[in-house]
């Protein structure tokens, strides 16, 4: 009986060692799984950042193109306005400048006008 008890005790010790080894292996596998999940999350974040960077670059290019188009259109508008003013000045009546003895402009109203005919009448009355 003593021999049988000794064999059973040895088997019990080996089983406990195997349980301890299996628990250690389980902890290592859990650690590897956690590490793998963390790497997967980092990869996902990296992919997301790359996509966001591409989108930002595209938006920056679009904005630069928009600014260039706006600058080009602004130049065209300035040229058109300059030409319009030049045409208005060339169609203005030409004459002598009033002398020093001219009557002062006391009764001139200071209302802003945009009509070209009104401006021409006012200019004619000044001469």
């Amino acid at each position: 009986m003593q021999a049988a008890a000794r064999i059973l005790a040895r088997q019990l010790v080996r089983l406990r060692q195997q349980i301890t080894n299996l628990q250690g292996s389980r902890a290592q596998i859990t650690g590897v799984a956690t590490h793998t999940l963390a790497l997967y999350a980092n990869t996902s974040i990296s992919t997301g950042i790359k996509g966001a960077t591409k989108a930002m670059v595209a938006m920056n290019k679009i904005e630069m193109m928009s600014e260039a188009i706006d600058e080009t259109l602004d130049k065209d508008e300035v040229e058109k306005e300059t030409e319009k003013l030049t045409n208005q000045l060339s169609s203005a009546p030409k004459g002598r400048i009033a002398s020093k003895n001219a009557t002062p402009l006391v009764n001139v109203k200071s209302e802003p006008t945009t009509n070209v005919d009104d401006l021409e009448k006012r200019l004619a009355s000044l001469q």
Side-chain angles (χ1 to χ4, degrees):
M1 284 262 239
Q2 212 174 13
R6 197 168 208 179
I7 292 172
L8 288 175
R10 247 188 234 155
Q11 286 179 351
L12 182 62
V13 169
R14 286 182 186 158
L15 281 174
R16 286 181 181 168
Q17 287 174 347
Q18 286 178 353
I19 290 171
T20 304
N21 288 340
L22 287 173
Q23 287 175 343
S25 296
R26 183 178 178 190
Q28 287 178 348
I29 290 172
T30 304
V32 169
T34 304
H35 185 69
T36 303
L37 287 174
L39 288 175
Y40 179 74
N42 284 341
T43 303
S44 297
I45 291 171
S46 174
T47 304
I49 289 174
K50 285 180 185 177
T53 302
K54 286 181 182 179
M56 291 166 126
V57 167
M59 289 300 293
N60 193 19
K61 287 180 183 177
I62 290 171
E63 185 177 340
M64 288 173 58
M65 289 174 61
S66 176
E67 288 177 2
I69 289 171
D70 288 345
E71 287 178 11
T72 302
L73 292 177
D74 286 345
K75 288 179 183 177
D76 288 343
E77 289 176 10
V78 168
E79 289 177 14
K80 287 178 184 177
E81 190 173 338
T82 303
E83 186 176 327
K84 183 179 176 182
L85 285 173
T86 304
N87 290 338
Q88 286 179 355
L89 290 175
S90 65
S91 67
K94 296 179 176 109
R96 293 186 347 193
I97 298 176
S99 65
K100 292 180 182 178
N101 296 333
T103 58
L105 300 174
V106 177
N107 294 331
V108 176
K109 295 181 181 176
S110 63
E111 296 177 10
T113 60
T114 57
N115 194 351
V116 176
D117 294 334
D118 290 343
L119 290 174
E120 288 178 356
K121 288 178 186 176
R122 288 178 64 193
L123 183 62
S125 70
L126 291 175
Q127 291 177 352

